[in-house]
Amino acid sequence: MIVQVKKKIEIFLLSLILLLAFSMRLIHYDQFPVYGESQDEVAWTWLGSSLLKEGVPSAWSKFSAYEGFEYKSVSGFGSLVRPFLDHPPLFSFIPGFVHLATSEWSQIPSVRVIRFPMIFLGTFNVFLLFLVAKKMFPTEKFLALASSLLYATAPIFVFSSRLVLAENLLTAFLLFALLAIHMPSSKRRNIFILIISALAVLTKVSGVLIPLLCIGVGLSKKVKMWKPATAGLLVGVALFVLYGFVYNGKLFLQIQASQGRRAIGLATLYNRVILHPAIVDKFYFDGWLIIGLFSLFYISAIKHGEKIWPLALYILLNFLFISLTAGEQTFHGWYDFTIFPFLSIITMMTFFSIIRHKKYVLFCVLWLFILPQIRMMFIHADRLEMLSVPVLRGIVILGCVPFILSLFMKNTSLPKKFIVLLLGILFLSNIATVGVFQKEIYWISDAYFMAR
């Protein structure tokens, strides 16, 4: 009876989190991120709608190999080219379908239309994250709910999930793959892994990381999931190559070769993660990304490290892929989107460890990284910016209160309770920041950091 009550409470809380996730992604979804900052949103839409309408892939592209393949000039986007063979087509059918429902395929898409399905996909990914955390850490009470709440509300996670970019669908496939990895070995699981692996590759080339993750986990645990993952990888690659050769094999090979000739190096990763964190291209820092990366190192170094090994492996594969494929000084924020659910889980594991093991000094350090997010909450809210400086100074002190209490109250749970209270404040500030966010201040912030 008690178990059933707990289950009902968990379902109720999860329902509230999903409702919150949907609301956070819905509010001002057509205003921010700024439409046009990533013209890839339009390219993906045209790719899908042209395939559905005319059976020939068309979109804009900057690769010189398309000279002679120009189809139509579009103001603000240069020329559409056909056949467009930059990417696999699977994701493009989502925005392409809704775009066709409201206008001709070659017209510039409405942001309100093409982003609307992303709200549902983003909310669904919050649900998948809950299932993954529940499956991976069944004994960690409240971890799945807390991780889902963070992924549902952190501004950088919310804003990124609104964009019409293939990484948001890859996130769903990645979470499905994690669920499959933790399923009992069976023929059904193998078929599931094969299908997910193939679909990931057909979503975007970076989708190869998902079958590679399954292969790595399978080989390390000496289970045969690496076989269906390898088969899915080969099927996905073969279908993409076949797709390219159906339309123009020579052009397809030229485009893929062009994508592989971009300058590479460690600066790409360093710029993206440390110097210039971004949602799309402009500077954006709310602290959660840095805390997530710190938490990755922290959790990997303690006894929980083995539990998060699949998550850490994928993050490593993702960083390697960025370093090997993205051009130097490339600031596109969407390269990181797929690791956000994992950072949510690992971040909450860190905070749980802080509470459980009384690491109050560590909490003080992490608290400082959240200050930019709280400052954003004030400067984006009309007439409240003047309060940001005095309030932030008080908030700095708040982060030290659990440590101070622990010095004078050694046999009390008050410091732990105070940390829980402060985490609650952080979640509320997440919600408030998304609600009051102004794109003009976002531009000013980017100009300030770029000038330096």
Side-chain angles (χ1 to χ4, degrees), residues 13-297:
L13 293 175
L14 176 60
S15 300
L16 290 181
I17 290 172
L18 294 177
L19 179 61
L20 178 61
F22 181 84
S23 302
M24 296 280 283
R25 282 151 180 78
L26 181 64
I27 184 172
H28 307 316
Y29 76 94
D30 57 335
Q31 299 178 30
F32 191 82
V34 181
Y35 190 44
E37 188 180 343
S38 171
Q39 294 186 349
D40 282 17
E41 290 190 278
V42 176
W44 282 112
T45 303
W46 277 337
L47 172 58
S49 57
S50 62
L51 278 168
L52 289 169
K53 184 70 173 181
E54 300 186 350
V56 182
S58 307
W60 70 266
S61 180
K62 295 181 179 179
F63 288 115
S64 59
Y66 283 114
E67 291 181 10
F69 291 91
E70 294 182 0
Y71 168 66
K72 183 179 180 180
S73 179
V74 180
S75 177
F77 293 90
S79 297
L80 276 75
V81 299
R82 67 188 323 182
F84 172 86
L85 301 173
D86 288 23
H87 302 298
L90 183 61
F91 168 74
S92 69
F93 293 122
I94 299 175
F97 177 79
V98 296
H99 174 53
L100 282 179
T102 59
S103 61
E104 290 296 319
W105 78 264
S106 59
Q107 293 181 345
I108 296 177
S110 164
V111 64
R112 291 183 64 85
V113 171
I114 63 175
R115 283 187 182 174
F116 193 63
M118 297 297 104
I119 298 170
F120 294 91
L121 179 59
T123 304
F124 182 62
N125 285 341
V126 174
F127 174 67
L128 290 178
L129 170 65
F130 171 82
L131 297 180
V132 168
K134 191 77 174 174
K135 180 70 70 173
M136 292 186 67
F137 308 99
T139 61
E140 289 288 337
K141 192 176 181 181
F142 300 123
L143 177 63
L145 287 171
S147 303
S148 302
L149 181 59
L150 177 57
Y151 190 49
T153 60
I156 193 168
F157 302 158
V158 171
F159 295 144
S160 64
S161 67
R162 297 172 176 175
L163 289 163
V164 184
L165 295 170
E167 281 73 10
N168 284 316
L169 181 58
L170 282 180
T171 299
F173 288 144
L174 176 60
L175 293 170
F176 273 125
L178 260 291
L179 289 173
I181 285 172
H182 291 85
M183 289 170 59
S185 181
S186 65
K187 184 178 180 180
R188 180 181 298 178
R189 184 190 70 173
N190 291 340
I191 294 174
F192 189 48
I193 290 176
L194 189 153
I195 293 173
I196 290 297
S197 297
L199 292 178
V201 177
L202 292 172
T203 299
K204 195 173 182 180
V205 173
S206 57
V208 300
L209 300 182
I210 294 176
L212 289 178
L213 170 65
C214 296
I215 292 170
V217 173
L219 291 175
S220 67
K221 293 186 176 182
K222 298 181 179 180
V223 295
K224 293 183 178 180
M225 74 172 68
W226 67 269
K227 292 184 177 180
T230 303
L233 173 61
L234 294 176
V235 168
V237 171
L239 289 175
F240 181 40
V241 172
L242 177 62
Y243 165 81
F245 272 76
V246 164
Y247 289 104
N248 192 314
K250 181 179 179 180
L251 177 63
F252 174 77
L253 293 177
Q254 288 176 335
I255 295 302
Q256 301 313 311
S258 297
Q259 303 222 54
R261 285 198 295 264
R262 291 179 289 188
I264 63 173
L266 185 60
T268 301
L269 186 60
Y270 184 66
N271 284 334
R272 267 293 302 114
V273 176
I274 305 298
L275 292 182
H276 199 279
I279 300 172
V280 184
D281 285 322
K282 291 180 171 55
F283 183 90
Y284 181 87
F285 178 66
D286 64 8
W288 286 113
L289 180 59
I290 300 299
I291 288 180
L293 294 173
F294 171 87
S295 297
L296 172 64
F297 300 129

